[in-house]
Amino acid sequence: MKKLTTGVLVLVLSSSLAITQAQQKKSDTVRTQDIEGVVVTALGIKREKKSLGYASEEVKAEALTGGTTNTGNVASLLSGKVSGLQVNTNNNFGGSANLLIRGYKSLSGGSPLIVIDGSPVNNGTVGGAIFDYGNFLSDINQDDIESINVLKGAAASALYGERGSDGVILIVTKNGRGKQDGSWGVTLNSGITAGFIDKSTFPKYQSRYGAGYGKVYGNDTNGDGNPDEYFNYDPVTGQLQTPFTEDASYGAEFNPNLMVRQWDSYNPDSPNYGKATPWQAAKNGPIKFFETPVTYVNTISLEKGSKSSNISLSYTNMLSNGLLPNSDLRKNSISAKFNYDFTDKLHASVFSTLTIQDTKGRNETGYSDNLVTGFRQWWQTNVDVYELRDAYQRNNSNLTWNRTSGSDGTPAYWNNPYFQRYQNYQSDTRTRSFSYAQLKYDITKNFGITGKLSYDQMQMLIEERLMNGSLPQAFGASGNNVTSGYSRQDVRTTETNFDLFLNYKFDITDDLNVSGIVGGNVRRNLSDNVYASTEGGLATPGLFAISNSASPIIPPDENYAKWLTSGVYATASVGYKNLLYVDGTIRADKSSNLPKSNNSYVYPSVTGSVILSELWKPSWLSFWKIRGNYAEVGSSTVNYQLQNTYRVRGGFGNTGLVDQSYFLANPNLKPQRSKEVEFGMEGQFFKNRLGFDVAIYKTRTYDQIINLPVSSATGYRTFLVNAGQINNKGIEVQLNGTPFKSDNFKWDVDVNWSKNENEVVSLYGDSQNYLLASYQGGVSLNARVGEAFGALVGSDYVYLNGERVINPTTGRYLTNPNQVIGNITPDWIGGIRNSFSYKGLSLSFLIDVKHGGDVFSTDMYYGLATGLYEETAVGDYRSAGVINQGVNPNGQVNTTPTSAPDTFGNVDGYRRMPNSRFVYDASYVKLREASVGYSLPKSLLANTSFQEVKISLVGRNLWIIHKNLPYADPESGTGNGLASKGNSIGVLPTTRDLGINVTLKF
């Protein structure tokens, strides 16, 4: 993998260097301001990029959306396009995409602040133990975006105070332009995308053996007092009977001449009722359970503009179904933006967007009742999913392969998957609105004042259902096992921001100028969450309502919180002769979530840049800049962490019942702090035909607010403290080149690469480990002192002189518990984008790379033990076992085969192997995006009402060129946040998405 990715980089760079000079044209003239341009920075302020003393990277709309399918989530579109930005996109239907800039700085994880036209918006998610409800950035319509600017370091984001510690993603929305004659411009965009399963991301089942755990059933034929057959026997007919309750495929070898009574033989509605059928592998395995996801997206945009005003209106309709049956997502977005100059000095801007999304049938995540976990870990290869489909469709009941016995059809561990999808589905409705209004008055040519009000609101209704006849499972507020139930959750969040600032600009001399802003911000947040559920099941089958509870309900769990943050800020930028720029910023925040003695804190930054190309001007040098900065940022905590609060839990008679929080609050908390130093260099050569941007940085984050374990004798499980330090350092490289350029043909190459290293320097006192998440199988995600953030801890092999040690009696490896067996942090990430254009034809593709990092596969941990995968049925694997490589405790080479190989899990898998056996390198190389587009020549449109007609073939995730994780996509996670990292468990397969887009402009 290393040779492959290095070779690709060398090829692209050498091609650019070799051809660039030969392709220069005398007509090319490039000025510094043309190269650098104007970019949007913190608070929506436009700056010349050449004056910036920190790293930022802009992605234009065409590069963001033009070469790929509509993913429905803007965050996922940034994959592989920005150095230093790690994007993890899972495969969940309507699921999350996680963003991380310059590595983990906080023990609680962290993600960048999202800002639209200078106003912050919520990119959180609704927490759920089973379902992934997606990050709220998915509510933003990608067709409204003009560009995205990524502010990577502390100096770039310091003006956002406590919210800028993890970087900032700045989204700039489109302004209306219209036609040259002042009339309305109309754009219609229509696209359809279909997904096809990448079979390398789903199990390859063995087709040699069927249901069972080994020779542990039936009669005792050898007289040792134990069963020694692969089958049970029907108690009435004496016929061979499948071991229904065993959700494994470590049973008898298939033989079509062997007749066996299987699960459907006991269903009266089945054509096989009462019959024994041939013992053979199923014709239709679990991969046939999945459907073909299809997405339709239609957008209409109206634009009109003049010198003093412009307006933009758009409406987008998105319809999509998922891989699993009975999944459906419907999203409608409408937005409007107005810019109007009342006078030469008074300017107004208004933007508003509304998104309404209805989703049904999200997939379960994690372990437990996730049916994809069953497909990957606990399955019988003799079971045909189409027969399960037919069994369900005959009477919509839970007739499953996993019967308790021949006479008892109650599920032992797994529902019929079709019953699960059509009867036990969840649904949610989300309404999201975001609006701002801004008024700017130019007092004089040197002074201006701006006032801005923004409001972000999200409302969500989440419903979960458990139909009568389901497998008993934990459900509802009490968590008791029930066979039916209903729950609903009502969520509302709001954020209001008011900014007022004065901008100034002076030319002190002809060569020296100063500019900046002075202002303040007030932010109010509200969170309102109510959860209620039935108890004891449903009184009337199929009526999903809280009032239909079979037992008295537990009072609804209500959480209501409000908090306020206010801040003042000031900036000053001094420029000298377009040669030297020095900037300083300072912000002071005050948070209601911190105690009065510690609720005010200050964040400064200072940056400097020198334009060396103003001093040295050879013909081949277009632009050259060096820069450096120092900044401090930080963050406070969530609400109600200073004093212990209590929850009302109903009453006992006339007495109210309450319970306390699991953590001990801390009235002396102080804000988390982060200090960063950054240096960088930018250059453009051969009249903008070749360029680079390099940054190096070092960050120290301390006084982190974390929950540490405490003795249960205190009545609590954890207590809040300021503790812990994490250091990060790294390098980011962005390259651009134009190897070929002529009147009709152009080839552009963009390369980005970044490497971040971090270390947990300290925790609290003598503590050496901080638990971040626990996984099924005994593996945990941790912050350990002296290690990189995100250490995977579990059992490892025992080593002797670097060799794995094996028990000479059993032939199995010895294990050593509680060892570091991996880490989720990648060694480096990068992307290579090539774009070609010839007249009206365009072609582009993006290679996305992640090198290093580890993932623990719970699927392999169980699936190898239960005999699902093809490697468990090779040769005499199940009869003679295997001879594991390693040495005996005396140092001699092992020659003992694994004992009892005919019983599940004795050769490989969770029963005998250490956790480290199932930790895999999470590297990947992906053909992330590809597109071919054609625009009709203007000459053909001359006598029509069309201004532009373009048709494009687009694709996403078309090819996983390289990966090390078997049967799954190493990028896939279970949801949002830290707990989804480093664990591959029950994930949906990845789809290769192909689509066609048609754009018509009138």
Side-chain angles (χ1 to χ4, degrees), residues 503-702:
N503 61 285
Y504 61 90
K505 183 176 182 180
F506 293 99
D507 292 327
I508 300 174
T509 69
D510 290 341
D511 297 326
L512 184 66
N513 60 73
V514 61
S515 62
I517 60 171
V518 178
N521 166 264
V522 176
R523 171 167 57 96
R524 295 180 181 272
N525 289 86
L526 179 146
S527 176
D528 188 5
N529 193 324
V530 180
Y531 176 84
S533 70
T534 59
E535 290 295 331
L538 300 175
T540 301
L543 177 58
F544 295 107
I546 301 297
S547 58
N548 190 36
S549 179
S551 301
I553 68 171
I554 294 175
D557 186 10
E558 300 178 79
N559 291 276
Y560 185 85
K562 295 171 68 176
W563 61 100
L564 172 69
T565 304
S566 57
V568 293
Y569 47 81
T571 73
S573 176
V574 179
Y576 176 70
K577 280 190 174 181
N578 292 322
L579 168 67
L580 176 65
Y581 296 90
V582 178
D583 286 14
T585 74
I586 189 167
R587 174 159 179 154
D589 279 343
K590 187 174 183 178
S591 171
S592 66
N593 287 336
L594 291 172
K596 290 183 178 179
S597 58
N598 289 324
N599 69 351
S600 298
Y601 34 96
V602 177
Y603 301 119
S605 79
V606 59
T607 72
S609 60
V610 179
I611 313 300
L612 297 177
S613 52
E614 293 293 324
L615 299 175
W616 185 43
K617 301 181 179 181
S619 60
W620 51 269
L621 179 63
S622 304
F623 180 73
W624 185 18
K625 179 177 81 171
I626 58 173
R627 61 176 191 262
N629 63 71
Y630 170 80
E632 296 183 20
V633 291
S635 59
S636 62
T637 184
V638 297
N639 47 283
Y640 308 141
Q641 304 292 292
L642 308 179
Q643 296 181 352
N644 283 97
T645 58
Y646 300 86
R647 291 183 183 275
V648 176
R649 292 298 189 186
F652 182 76
N654 294 324
T655 303
L657 300 178
V658 298
D659 62 9
Q660 65 183 15
S661 301
Y662 67 88
F663 71 91
L664 179 62
N666 185 347
N668 300 310
L669 289 178
K670 52 186 178 181
Q672 173 179 297
R673 308 285 297 189
S674 184
K675 297 181 179 181
E676 183 176 85
V677 176
E678 176 190 310
F679 295 96
M681 181 182 293
E682 301 170 45
Q684 292 288 333
F685 309 96
F686 310 117
K687 299 180 180 177
N688 206 24
R689 299 292 297 279
L690 182 67
F692 72 89
D693 189 332
V694 178
I696 58 173
Y697 60 88
K698 187 172 183 179
T699 307
R700 179 169 68 95
T701 306
Y702 58 96

Side-chain angles (χ1 to χ4, degrees), residues 185-208:
V186 180
T187 302
L188 299 176
N189 195 313
S190 184
I192 180 173
T193 302
F196 305 92
I197 290 177
D198 182 339
K199 293 184 178 180
S200 73
T201 63
F202 196 69
K204 293 181 180 178
Y205 297 100
Q206 55 84 14
S207 58
R208 187 175 169 185

Side-chain angles (χ1 to χ4, degrees), residues 448-461:
I449 188 169
T450 300
K452 187 175 186 180
L453 177 67
S454 67
Y455 183 70
D456 183 10
Q457 177 177 256
M458 190 278 296
Q459 289 184 292
M460 196 167 182
L461 168 64

